[in-house]
Amino acid sequence: MTRLPDVIVALDFPDPETAWELVERLPVDTWYKVGLELFTRAGPPVVERLVGEGRNVFLDLKLHDIPNTVAGAVRSASRLGARLLTVHAAGGEAMLRAAAQAAAESGGDGGSEEPSDRLRLLAITVLTSLDDAALSAVIGPGASVEETAGRLAGLARESGIDGAVSSVNECRAIKLACGAEFLVVTPGIRLAGQGTQDQLRVATPATARAAGADYLVVGRTITQATDPAEALERVRAALLD
Ligand code: C5P
């Protein structure tokens, strides 16, 4: 059987104290997503503490700048010990190549020899908050989210980026176009029968696994649960439904 996807718990909290209360209630092998809200408030010490206590960190900073600056930020994230980091594919080929080279050279936390331990980069293609009209206002008339997202995933792959963030709906197409080794991380996960909240399109853990997802990002289903550890266990168990 192929490996089950890892569940990444989104630490969408404004302060490190609340984030840490949750982390301490979950098993040590849990992955965490640190995004712009928490990172802007609490900075690198949050990542260093998570990594220092043996947790895996997905740093969702969605980098987008000139190649030299992004490469520097990738090196900094690698030194912090993050395992996954997002970059905007719209930054272009030179930026993506510089980022990929920086990740390959920095080798992971503490200079680990294990290639699988190195920082891996994920492309953001088109934000799911954009529809065709909103995208057209940014890049020109007639733009299609589907075509643009597919093209940007291909550009990221050709430029040495390790994977992409995508909804479960696009997961299979990305795997087919970019190869099984190209990682796909999918948010928008809900347990069967659960409300969608503000997510427009949701999928169950089993559907995400069947579509080929390598990692599932899960936020409120776990973070707002009365018993987060039990909720995480339910998500993990639901991968096999
Ligand atoms: O609470 P919920 O499970 O909806 O949280 C999903 C997480 O995935 C949040 O951190 C959200 O920012 C992130 N995300 C998303 N949709 C995207 C990209 C990221 O929900 N298209």
Side-chain angles (χ1 to χ4, degrees):
M1 197 175 106
T2 50
R3 195 176 149 276
L4 284 178
D6 279 308
V7 176
I8 305 177
V9 178
L11 292 178
D12 295 325
F13 297 111
D15 63 87
E17 293 77 22
T18 319
W20 210 256
E21 275 169 30
L22 175 77
V23 169
E24 287 180 338
R25 297 178 71 180
L26 296 176
V28 174
D29 66 349
T30 309
W31 282 74
Y32 294 96
K33 181 173 87 102
V34 175
L36 288 170
E37 182 181 16
L38 184 58
F39 195 77
T40 304
R41 171 79 184 269
V46 167
V47 180
E48 284 167 332
R49 185 169 170 191
L50 285 165
V51 172
E53 299 197 9
R55 272 93 176 185
N56 290 306
V57 175
F58 166 22
L59 196 48
D60 187 18
L61 299 184
K62 298 187 172 65
L63 303 175
H64 189 170
D65 208 317
I66 59 170
N68 188 52
T69 302
V70 169
V74 169
R75 281 192 289 275
S76 294
S78 181
R79 274 186 212 115
L80 283 177
R83 301 280 306 276
L84 293 168
L85 172 71
T86 44
V87 297
H88 269 284
E93 184 178 344
M95 188 205 86
L96 294 168
R97 286 194 185 280
Q101 194 179 343
E105 285 170 3
S106 48
D109 69 307
S112 165
E113 297 293 314
E114 268 296 310
S116 60
D117 280 352
R118 80 157 168 83
L119 173 66
R120 286 170 301 164
L121 300 178
L122 302 170
I124 302 294
T125 58
V126 178
L127 294 172
T128 47
S129 49
L130 300 178
D131 59 12
D132 287 352
L135 185 64
S136 297
V138 178
I139 65 173
S144 136
V145 168
E146 199 182 336
E147 186 276 326
T148 307
R151 188 160 37 77
L152 287 175
L155 176 67
R157 168 86 180 126
E158 284 160 27
S159 307
I161 300 299
D162 302 285
V165 178
S166 111
S167 84
V168 172
N169 297 50
E170 285 81 45
C171 183
R172 203 182 298 273
I174 290 178
K175 286 278 181 182
L176 279 173
C178 298
E181 298 303 306
F182 194 67
L183 301 172
V184 178
V185 177
T186 60
I189 303 297
R190 292 290 178 276
L191 291 167
Q194 204 188 2
T196 58
Q197 290 151 315
D198 56 351
Q199 295 280 19
L200 293 180
R201 286 184 299 164
V202 298
T204 64
T207 309
R209 177 182 60 85
D214 298 282
Y215 298 89
L216 277 50
V217 175
V218 182
R220 289 159 291 182
T221 300
I222 293 169
T223 60
Q224 307 300 313
T226 321
D227 183 345
E230 188 261 350
L232 171 61
E233 210 33 63
R234 278 207 290 148
V235 173
R236 285 179 171 166
L239 288 166
L240 296 166
D241 282 352

